[in-house]
Amino acid sequence: QVQLVESGGGLVQAGGSLRLSCAASGRTFSSYTMGWFRQAPGKEREFVAAISRSGGATYYADSVKGRFTISRGNPKNTVNLQMNSLKPEDTAVYYCAADPAFPTAYYSDYVWDYWGQGTQVTVSS
């Protein structure tokens, strides 16, 4: 089992940057595929990015490709989401997720086993 705690959310102007972090408990962090999802008011939770257990493969939603970067392991037991060129439509609660396997349907929130509590990101225009 793993516990996830997100941090780094806040208010930023359009075009700015934020770095989200997700700290994972437990000594088996490297055995989990990690992901980020987000949920805007009145909308369903949507996939943002995922990273394989080794960190060698990354996956992004089309809406964030080229602007967001997911990484893991720095610091240890942490997965990060660097968000650049932020837009008002990026405003949402961002959630960290973990799974002990690589979910084939990684873009679907229902396949992930563990979730953090979420951190708010607000982008003003």
Side-chain angles (χ1 to χ4, degrees):
Q1 189 159 348
V2 62
Q3 292 184 326
L4 306 172
V5 179
E6 301 97 334
S7 62
L11 173 64
V12 65
Q13 288 188 330
S17 299
L18 278 176
R19 182 179 175 88
L20 303 184
S21 294
C22 173
S25 65
R27 290 176 287 183
T28 58
F29 173 71
S30 60
S31 64
Y32 288 87
T33 300
M34 302 298 296
W36 287 95
F37 283 75
R38 66 187 182 187
Q39 187 168 23
K43 295 188 177 182
E44 294 185 352
R45 189 157 55 184
E46 64 174 4
F47 170 74
V48 175
I51 187 166
S52 64
R53 286 170 281 190
S54 68
T58 55
Y59 308 86
Y60 297 94
D62 287 343
S63 59
V64 307
K65 201 171 294 183
R67 300 188 297 123
F68 291 10
T69 302
I70 189 172
S71 61
R72 65 186 299 161
N74 184 25
K76 188 178 178 182
N77 285 17
T78 300
V79 60
N80 301 303
L81 186 68
Q82 178 67 41
M83 305 186 296
N84 298 329
S85 302
L86 283 161
K87 304 175 182 180
E89 51 263 45
D90 294 318
T91 295
V93 177
Y94 282 71
Y95 296 91
C96 178
D99 197 276
F102 177 75
T104 302
Y106 58 84
Y107 42 84
S108 300
D109 63 352
Y110 64 85
V111 304
W112 294 78
D113 281 358
Y114 303 102
W115 293 88
Q117 82 289 349
T119 185
Q120 176 70 47
V121 171
T122 303
V123 184
S124 63
S125 56

